[in-house]
Structure formats: structure tokens, C-alpha cells
Amino acid sequence: PPNGSAPTSTTITADQITYDRTNQVAEGKGNLRIRERGIEIRAPQGTYLRQQAQSILSGGVVLQEVAGDSSRDPLLADLRLAQASPGPEATPDQQDQEVTIIADRLTYDRNTQIAQGEGNLEIRQGETIIQAAQGTYRRRESQSLLTGGVTLEEPGRVLTSARLEGNHRDKIFLFEDNVLYRQMATSTPAPSEGSLTEELRQAETEVRAARLVYNSRTGTSEFSDAVEFIQRGRRAKANQATITPEKVELRGEVVIEQIEGEWLARRLQNPETQADVDQPTVIYADRVEIDQASGDARFFGNVVIVQANRAIEGDRADYFDREQIFKISAEQAPVVLCDRGEVGRLPGESTQALPGRNALDQMCRGANRLSGKLVTLNIKQDEYTVEGDGQQQGMFQFRITDAL
């Protein structure tokens, strides 16, 4: 072939082979093996069309790349998936690079090096296993297109979607339509803890979105369009999200419900947990960063925190997960806190559907107002402290008698 990269010979072995010299068609049955440069295909039965350089196999087919092959072009991987690829210093081992394809039926074109599989299609590459109803693998470009419902499994995480495009050279995968990402918990609570709160703090991470770019080598996930995020007893919505092994970042109209939300009881499908949860603490912000190890979080830009009987507005908030404490601060205007007390409590549904600023305004109507340089909110103890900003000397501390 003119490109010089296609295989130069094909070897076929089987328990039984029939060859038609006129049409140059070989049919094999029983332990059929087709070997070409860089690949080996195994199947119970199949047909090889010599003139078309095409293999058609069925009955459970395995296509396996062979180490040391140089027929693939490293420059042809999809550029749309290359923006998150590792740098030139990355040197993935050969086992992580080789691809094995399993399917009920498979067609392989020797000239184009394109494999088309359907029926229980599976692509294996190192510790990555991808399953789909059907798909195409372009071996020369190290690229796949899978449809009909796709699942990618790796140790500690499972990703699903309706469609997937894969750059197998860099192990970067584009998931589209009904994306669901699950990252398993890395630890379990100690037996002595045993509370609902501690159980939820160790729960898995779950993200739903319309689109996800996943870099398997770095463990980085980029979500976009209608992102819904659940982790450690908090639920969030955002326009975009990034998950790395170290942290979670949420961006664009972020809304988070903290661990007191009634949705937790519904999610666990256990009526007895209703007594352990309460009306949610809702936090609005432009951007949020969550530390994966500790669960601590930082909120930036137009931060509003709304509870059943109070609301707080600031530029930034820091949340300490183990202590369940917020520290809210502001750059220019002081932090504003509106406290309705027990008499003026608003039902949760009256502010739940409102954007942050509107929820704050409704909560502040007829409420006591305080302002200062820093507000510390202790959710566990249900108390807050307001510190002055130099003109307001002193500290004001309030205790609400009935916890939320």
C-alpha cells in the first residue's frame, strides 16, 4: 500500500479452513486466528475477503493489539480531545497503550485499520474497560466512537453516557448525553461513629451532566451543561465542574444544599432518617472549591447563605467540614446577616426556588439586621458570631434556643 504503514501479510489458522481461489475468500471455523502486523483476531468462525482486505467474524470475537507495533500514526488522534493531554514528558507503559476489542460480531478492514463491532462490545486498555452496544475503533488514529449506551469502568470510578469519543493514545474520553459519573468512597467511617452524618460524609461522589471530558491518565474530569453534583452529604448545581484527585471546582451560578437537607432521607429511602435531617442550609456562589481529602470548601463571589430563620451575604466563605463552621467575609461592603429568630421563621419552600439575592431579600424583610467584617456560623451548635470592622468595635453573639 502507498502509505507504507498498512500490514504487509495476513496469516490465518483454524480447525477448518475453506478457500475459494476464484473469489479469494477464506472461511474458517473453530479456533480461528487472523494475524497481521500489530494485531491478532480470534473468533469461533469468520470470513476473510482477500481482495477487500476485510475480515468478518462472529460468535465472540477478540481483537488484540500486539506490543511493539509502529503502524499507528501518533499525530492523528482527535484534536478536540487533545487539549487535556499529558505533556511530552509523559511515558505511559506499553500495557496501558495496547487495546483489546471484544464483540459478538466484528468487521476489520486491513487497509484502513478500522474495526467495527456490535453486540456486547468491550474495549480494554490497561485498567480501563469500556462497554457499549456498538462502535468503531480507528486503530491508525487510536480513536473510538461508541454509541447505544456506554460504560467506562476503572478502579474507584464508573462513567456512563449515551455516546463516547475516545482518544486512546492519550486516554482522553468525551462523554455526551445523559452523563453519569460515580467515584467510589476511599474510606469508611469507624464503627464508633456510626451516625447518619458520618455515613454521608464518606459516601461516593456522583455527578450528572450533558457533557464530560475525562482524562484517564491524570484522573481529571471536566463537566459542562446542567451539572448536578452530590458528595459527602451535599448536593449542588452549577454550569461547569472540574474534578481532580485533589479537589472539586464548581463554576457558574452554583447552588449547594448542605447536609441538613431532607433530600438525604429521600435518597437513602429510609423513613427513619427523616428525624435525623432538617431543612437545608442553601449556599449560593459564583465559584466553589471543595477539598477532596477533608471536605472543606471555599466559596467565592456573591456568596449568600440561607437557612430557615437567617440569611448571610458576603464576598467569600470558608467552610470547615469536620466542625461544620462557616466563616463569611467581604472585601468592600460589610457582611450582612439577617436573623428572623424563631417567630419569623420562613417555610423552606418560600425561598428554595429563588436565586441567591432574591432569597436573601425575602429573608431580610422584617428581620433583625447585623453587619460586620466577619461572620462565623456554627451549624452544629446553631450559633453565630459577628465581628466588627474597626468602626463597629466589639463582638455580638446570639444563641438560638431550638436548633434547625
Side-chain angles (χ1 to χ4, degrees), residues 92-160:
D93 58 44
Q94 192 67 40
Q95 183 182 8
D96 194 40
Q97 196 76 345
E98 297 165 15
V99 169
T100 298
I101 301 174
I102 303 170
D104 293 341
R105 296 168 298 280
L106 184 139
T107 300
Y108 180 71
D109 189 301
R110 175 188 176 196
N111 292 329
T112 62
Q113 299 186 42
I114 296 176
Q116 293 181 311
E118 60 180 12
N120 298 308
L121 176 62
E122 190 171 289
I123 297 179
R124 295 175 174 264
Q125 186 180 14
E127 293 186 309
T128 304
I129 300 174
I130 307 174
Q131 297 173 320
Q134 58 194 14
T136 301
Y137 177 64
R138 307 177 67 90
R139 185 167 173 269
R140 190 175 293 155
E141 297 90 343
S142 298
Q143 188 178 60
S144 64
L145 173 60
L146 308 176
T147 58
V150 185
T151 299
L152 184 151
E153 293 188 30
E154 291 181 339
R157 62 176 62 90
V158 177
L159 300 82
T160 64

Side-chain angles (χ1 to χ4, degrees), residues 40-307:
E40 177 180 277
I41 306 175
R42 302 187 298 273
Q45 58 190 18
T47 301
Y48 178 70
L49 309 177
R50 186 164 179 252
Q51 288 183 331
Q52 293 87 352
Q54 192 174 77
S55 304
I56 304 172
L57 308 105
S58 61
V61 188
V62 177
L63 185 154
Q64 189 168 14
E65 292 185 335
V66 179
D69 172 53
S70 59
S71 63
R72 292 181 297 178
D73 190 334
L75 300 179
L76 292 180
D78 191 339
L79 294 179
R80 287 178 297 169
L81 301 182
Q83 73 274 11
S85 63
E89 71 280 357
T91 55
D93 58 44
Q94 192 67 40
Q95 183 182 8
D96 194 40
Q97 196 76 345
E98 297 165 15
V99 169
T100 298
I101 301 174
I102 303 170
D104 293 341
R105 296 168 298 280
L106 184 139
T107 300
Y108 180 71
D109 189 301
R110 175 188 176 196
N111 292 329
T112 62
Q113 299 186 42
I114 296 176
Q116 293 181 311
E118 60 180 12
N120 298 308
L121 176 62
E122 190 171 289
I123 297 179
R124 295 175 174 264
Q125 186 180 14
E127 293 186 309
T128 304
I129 300 174
I130 307 174
Q131 297 173 320
Q134 58 194 14
T136 301
Y137 177 64
R138 307 177 67 90
R139 185 167 173 269
R140 190 175 293 155
E141 297 90 343
S142 298
Q143 188 178 60
S144 64
L145 173 60
L146 308 176
T147 58
V150 185
T151 299
L152 184 151
E153 293 188 30
E154 291 181 339
R157 62 176 62 90
V158 177
L159 300 82
T160 64
S161 68
R163 180 179 183 277
L164 177 146
E165 292 183 33
N167 171 351
H168 293 266
R169 183 197 65 188
D170 299 321
K171 295 194 74 173
I172 300 174
F173 304 98
L174 168 63
F175 295 81
E176 291 183 309
D177 300 328
N178 299 317
V179 176
L180 174 60
Y181 168 101
R182 283 195 177 99
Q183 178 178 288
M184 310 312 171
T186 56
S187 60
T188 55
S192 60
E193 294 171 347
S195 67
L196 173 65
T197 297
E198 290 302 327
E199 177 186 346
L200 291 166
R201 291 185 193 287
Q202 300 296 339
E204 66 183 25
T205 298
E206 179 179 296
V207 186
R208 297 177 185 272
R211 188 175 187 273
L212 161 63
V213 176
Y214 172 61
N215 188 324
S216 174
R217 297 205 194 283
T218 64
T220 300
S221 300
E222 294 275 354
F223 302 87
S224 56
D225 301 329
V227 179
E228 297 182 8
F229 167 88
I230 294 176
Q231 184 191 56
R232 298 192 179 204
R234 53 168 69 101
R235 178 175 65 178
K237 293 183 178 181
N239 296 331
Q240 296 177 313
T242 301
I243 294 181
T244 69
E246 294 77 29
K247 73 174 182 178
V248 175
E249 182 179 4
L250 307 171
R251 301 179 299 278
E253 300 178 352
V254 184
V255 182
I256 293 184
E257 292 183 22
Q258 274 300 111
I259 197 165
E260 293 79 11
E262 290 184 2
W263 62 272
L264 293 172
R266 294 197 299 270
R267 180 173 172 75
L268 293 175
Q269 297 180 347
N270 182 358
E272 295 179 1
T273 63
Q274 290 286 355
D276 295 329
V277 297
D278 205 343
Q279 201 165 17
T281 296
V282 182
I283 308 104
Y284 303 84
D286 295 338
R287 182 169 65 89
V288 180
E289 293 180 358
I290 302 171
D291 185 87
Q292 290 269 44
S294 66
D296 295 346
R298 294 172 295 278
F299 302 81
F300 305 93
N302 300 305
V303 179
V304 174
I305 300 174
V306 179
Q307 295 183 300

